[in-house]
């Protein structure tokens, strides 16, 4: 079985910059791919990285700000041109289908595959996906619009000494973007192997961060520390911070095992 | 006055590849900027190239295939975040407004600038924009859906010997994408300084090219030759051709002054 990993397809915030595109990640667990958020350019980056979509069946959208969903229509029409026949499942708030369906009807009506929308309630912590080896739970977040993160769990079947089988959780990955500082998420993400937590601002932007309901790098690190996670990945950088190493500088004193998301990087979970 | 030039923001066809994104060009004439087509990723490339949008007031969309318009919503919301107050004019077929308005209402309702849609008829050769120094005309093309190219003309005021003023046309640039081979466009683009003509396929894909109503590099070159243009730029390359120099190889024997569009390149008009 291939290793658990996450590929950063975009790690900027709403305003694109010279070095960052809007949010998107490919999470790979148990030989399956899961797309988390799909900002503009995600399908372009996937093509540039040579990422195949044949093992991608499930897309999770954290909230409906454009930098997290404008790339969906391009991805879904591209899959149509690639003659995909396997269904695609999209987990998002109900408004997404209302916004996307007219575009799909106009631009992708000749596709050979079904798109199945699964409405989710971002305010509730719940299991929204489960198969024999992977489950996904929502993580309610605090942002300007209803938003949730996603907790991915790898589950493996283990044979007991008496010959019967049990299931054990192995790798766990939590995606938390976008959110203001919220300790309410700590019990849900307690002890995960890897946490991606948004880090839009630096300490000097504290007031702005609160106003627009985002987090600073230090706040992301504090959450990582309280939740005893293995590794923290920062991302969703504001366009006003060109030098991303400043985020690391403010996070590391609080949580040492912190790394910076940058586009095209792959992290072991 | 700055030179007349065109910046290639995207020159692939519908399916993105490792080296090409969907269509988009910035045409600069008489110190004004005009965006022609806006595929996914155009605003990202503009940011990466450091292109400022303060002189951009007019966007022209050739047709409503996704690879020519999916980047509009991202661009228009980004302009909102940049606190733009000057209106933006969009010249396109009426369906574009129907598709875009619900997205603008949902994602960009707090913007401080107006978006003014100008419906165009792609089947008719007509002047659709005119100010004191630049005019733009539609060029009816032949494609699977109603499509037109755009002819840009620089007009300069010249003082006569008797003190009165006259107007003379200087630089002319024609954008023709997407289209099958059509000699009907020749009288409209006769003698332009620079012609961008789509070149989706090679000779070996001739049958496929006709079927999907696109052109080969040789056909683009034949149009350039018949219309006595100054320079031909090829683009809108099919994902099945990795080595773009093959397009040049088939075009140059027919029209020698041919160059290849590649992303981020700037051509003098």
């Amino acid at each position: 079985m291939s290793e658990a990993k996450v590929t950063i397809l975009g790690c900027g915030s709403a305003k694109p910059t010279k070095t960052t595109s809007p949010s998107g990640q490919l999470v790979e667990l148990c030989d399956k791919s899961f797309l988390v958020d799909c900002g503009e350019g995600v399908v372009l980056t996937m093509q540039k990285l040579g990422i195949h979509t044949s093992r991608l069946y499930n897309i999770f959208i954290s909230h409906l700000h454009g930098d997290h969903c404008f790339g969906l229509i391009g991805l879904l029409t591209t899959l149509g041109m690639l003659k995909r026949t396997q269904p695609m499942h999209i987990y998002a708030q109900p408004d997404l289908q209302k916004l996307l369906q007219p575009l799909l009807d106009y631009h992708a009506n000749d596709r050979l595959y079904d798109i199945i929308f699964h409405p989710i309630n971002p305010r509730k912590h719940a299991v929204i996906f489960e198969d024999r080896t992977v489950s996904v739970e929502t993580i309610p977040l605090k942002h300007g619009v209803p938003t949730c993160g996603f907790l991915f769990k790898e589950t493996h079947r283990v044979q007991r000494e008496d010959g019967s089988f049990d299931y054990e959780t192995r790798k766990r990955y939590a995606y938390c973007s976008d959110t203001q500082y919220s300790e309410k998420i700590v019990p849900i993400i307690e002890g995960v192997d890897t946490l991606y937590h948004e880090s839009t601002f630096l300490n000097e932007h504290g007031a702005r961060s609160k106003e627009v309901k985002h987090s600073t790098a230090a706040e992301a690190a504090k959450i990582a520390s309280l939740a005893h996670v293995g590794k923290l990945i920062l991302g969703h950088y504001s366009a006003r911070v060109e030098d991303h190493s400043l985020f690391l500088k403010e996070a590391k004193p609080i949580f040492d095992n912190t790394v910076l998301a940058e586009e095209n990087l792959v992290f072991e979970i």
Side-chain angles (χ1 to χ4, degrees), chain A:
Chain A
M1 187 156 308
S2 65
E3 67 169 346
K5 61 185 182 179
V6 55
T7 303
I8 308 298
L9 303 169
C11 60
S13 57
K15 222 181 285 173
T17 71
K18 277 189 199 308
T19 59
T20 58
S21 300
S23 291
Q25 298 192 352
L26 193 77
V27 176
E28 292 173 84
L29 290 172
C30 303
D31 289 326
K32 289 165 213 161
S33 300
F34 303 87
L35 183 64
V36 185
D37 282 342
C38 189
E40 180 173 358
V42 157
V43 70
L44 309 181
T45 305
M46 286 173 81
Q47 290 297 110
K48 276 171 189 161
L49 294 177
I51 290 171
H52 294 287
T53 51
S54 52
R55 288 180 307 159
L56 176 63
Y57 297 102
N58 299 284
I59 301 174
F60 299 86
I61 302 294
S62 65
H63 66 301
L64 302 186
H65 279 156
D67 57 321
H68 294 256
C69 62
F70 282 168
L72 272 172
I73 184 65
L75 172 64
L76 296 171
T77 52
T78 298
L79 295 179
M81 287 183 281
L82 293 169
K83 308 288 181 212
R84 181 189 180 96
T85 55
Q86 294 298 312
M88 180 65 82
H89 297 265
I90 302 180
Y91 302 78
Q93 291 163 64
D95 276 359
L96 182 75
Q97 184 174 5
K98 277 194 264 176
L99 291 164
L100 209 51
Q101 196 64 55
L103 301 179
L104 290 169
D105 292 345
Y106 195 93
H107 295 289
N109 218 10
D110 58 350
R111 69 186 188 276
L112 305 173
Y113 71 100
D114 288 327
I115 296 170
I116 299 144
F117 289 94
H118 300 263
I120 62 176
N121 177 358
R123 292 191 178 82
K124 202 179 147 201
H125 172 217
V127 176
I128 56 169
F129 171 88
E130 203 167 20
D131 69 9
R132 291 198 304 171
T133 56
V134 177
S135 69
V136 183
E137 302 171 18
T138 46
I139 307 169
L141 299 175
K142 286 188 177 175
H143 192 43
V145 298
T147 303
C148 63
F150 300 104
L151 174 64
F152 291 84
K153 290 182 182 172
E154 245 187 34
T155 313
H156 287 261
R157 201 167 78 144
V158 185
Q159 191 160 20
R160 291 204 199 100
E161 280 185 13
D162 65 2
S164 68
F165 290 96
D166 201 358
Y167 290 86
E168 68 173 35
T169 297
R170 291 193 182 167
K171 295 285 185 179
R172 287 188 300 150
Y173 174 65
Y175 172 89
C176 296
S177 183
D178 302 5
T179 188
Q180 65 182 81
Y181 180 79
S182 166
E183 292 183 6
K184 280 195 181 164
I185 69 174
V186 171
I188 302 174
I189 64 172
E190 174 71 33
V192 297
D193 297 277
T194 303
L195 165 66
Y196 173 88
H197 193 292
E198 75 128 291
S199 153
T200 308
F201 292 109
L202 298 170
N203 287 329
E204 63 180 289
H205 312 119
R208 174 74 182 154
S209 184
K210 279 195 177 56
E211 186 193 338
V212 293
K213 297 190 163 57
H214 280 296
S215 301
T216 63
E219 287 172 334
K222 190 158 178 214
I223 293 292
S225 173
L226 288 172
H228 310 97
V229 310
K231 176 167 62 189
L232 169 65
I233 305 174
L234 300 179
H236 201 269
Y237 311 122
S238 165
R240 62 183 78 188
V241 184
E242 269 188 46
D243 178 1
H244 296 168
S245 75
L246 297 173
F247 293 109
L248 203 59
K249 204 174 153 189
E250 294 192 356
K252 265 177 118 38
I254 300 161
F255 187 80
D256 185 57
N257 195 11
T258 303
V259 294
L260 290 175
E262 297 293 350
E263 275 162 52
N264 310 345
L265 282 190
V266 182
F267 295 98
E268 196 189 329
I269 288 174

